[in-house]
Amino acid sequence: MDYATLLQILDSTLRLATPLLLACLAGLYSERSGVFDIGLEGKMLMAAMCTGAVAALSGNVWIGLLAGIAGSMVFAAIHGVASITFRGNQLISGVALNFVASGITVLVAQSLFRQGGRTPPLSGEARFNPITLPFADAAGSIPLVGPFYREVISGHGALVYVALLAVPVTWWVLYRTRFGLRLRAVGENPASVDTAGISVVRLRYTALAVTGLLCGIAGAYMAAGLQAGFGKEMTAGRGYIALAALIFAKWRPWYALMATLLFGFFQALALRPDVIKNTVGFDVPVPMLDALPYILTVIVLAGFVGRAIPPRAGGEPYVKER
C-alpha cells in the first residue's frame, strides 16, 4: 500500500468514524448518569430524516441541522419519561424507540416527497460542504506531514470538526466540572447524590438532553454530510456499533475516540477491496468486507477486549427513599 492510498483510507476513516464518535459520546453521557440508552440508533435515524427533509424543503443545511437535533431530542425526552419518570425498563424503552424510528421516518419521508421513503438529493447550501483549513494547499509540499494535513485533516464538513472537538470538551465536562462530578456520581450511587440535596431526576434528564443533542448532530451529518439525503435505515446499525465502541472505550472520552476510529477504519477498508487483495494476495468477498465492522462489534461484546465495568447504577430506575 503506497502513502497516497493510505491517506485516502485514513480520510475515509475519519468521515465514517464521525457519526460513530458522536453517538458514542452521546451514549457516554446517558450511561454515566445511570440510564442505558439502546435507542441511539433510533435517535440518529430520526435526526437524519428530519435533517434531510427540512434541508430539502428549505435549501439550508443549518436549518436542517436544527430540525435534526429537535427530532432527536424529542425521542430523548420520550425515553426519559419512560425510564426516569415512570421507571420503565430502559432497554425495552430504547428498543421500542428504534422500532418506532424505523417506521415513522420512512412514513413521513414518503408522505412529504413520494420517493419511496427517501428525501430528494441534497446539494449546494443544503449540504455540509468541505472546509479547506488554513495553509492546507501550501503545506502539501512538506514531506509526509503536509499531504497528511491536506488530505486527511483538511477538507471535511463542519460537523467532523465538531465531533473531534466534542472529545476534549466531554473530558473537561466529566472530569473538571461540578456537573461532571455529579453526573458520574449519579451513575454510581444515586442515593448519595440525592442525600446531598441534588436532584437525580434533573441530572438524568440533562444527560439525556445532551445525548439527544449529540445524536441529532450525528444523524444530521449522515444525511447532509456523509450522504446526500435521507434513505430508509440509513444508519445501518451504527447506533449499536457506537454502543459496542462505548464498551470498548470503557466509558472514557479519549478511549471512545480511539475505538470509533478503529471501527471507522474497518468500514473504510470494506470500501477498498483492491487494497485488501493487494495486501493478502487473493480476493476477499465484498460481503465479508462489509461484515468486518459488525464482526468487530461481536468480538467486543463477547468480552475479548478485557473486562469493562459499567456504572454500577446503570439500568436501574431510582426510587427516592421516604
Side-chain angles (χ1 to χ4, degrees), residues 20 241 244 262-268 270 288-300:
L20 297 177
I241 294 177
L262 177 62
F263 280 91
F265 179 72
F266 273 85
Q267 289 184 325
M288 180 65 181
L289 295 177
D290 291 335
L292 281 178
Y294 304 98
I295 293 173
L296 182 59
T297 301
V298 172
I299 293 173
V300 168

Side-chain angles (χ1 to χ4, degrees), residues 5 21 29 42 44 49 56 83 88 101 127 132 138 149 160 190 198 215 234 250-252 281 288 298 300 314:
T5 302
L21 176 58
Y29 277 98
M44 292 170 65
M49 188 279 295
S83 60
R127 288 198 70 195
T132 301
Y149 177 70
V160 174
I198 302 167
C215 282
M234 70 179 304
K250 299 183 179 179
W251 294 270
R252 298 178 182 178
M288 180 65 181
V298 172
V300 168

Side-chain angles (χ1 to χ4, degrees), residues 119-166:
T119 61
L122 303 178
S123 61
E125 295 301 316
R127 288 198 70 195
F128 291 105
N129 296 308
I131 298 173
T132 301
L133 297 181
F135 311 113
D137 294 330
S141 58
I142 303 174
L144 295 179
V145 177
F148 180 83
Y149 177 70
R150 183 183 62 191
E151 302 296 335
V152 179
I153 305 300
S154 179
H156 297 284
L159 297 189
V160 174
Y161 303 111
V162 169
L164 294 175
L165 181 61

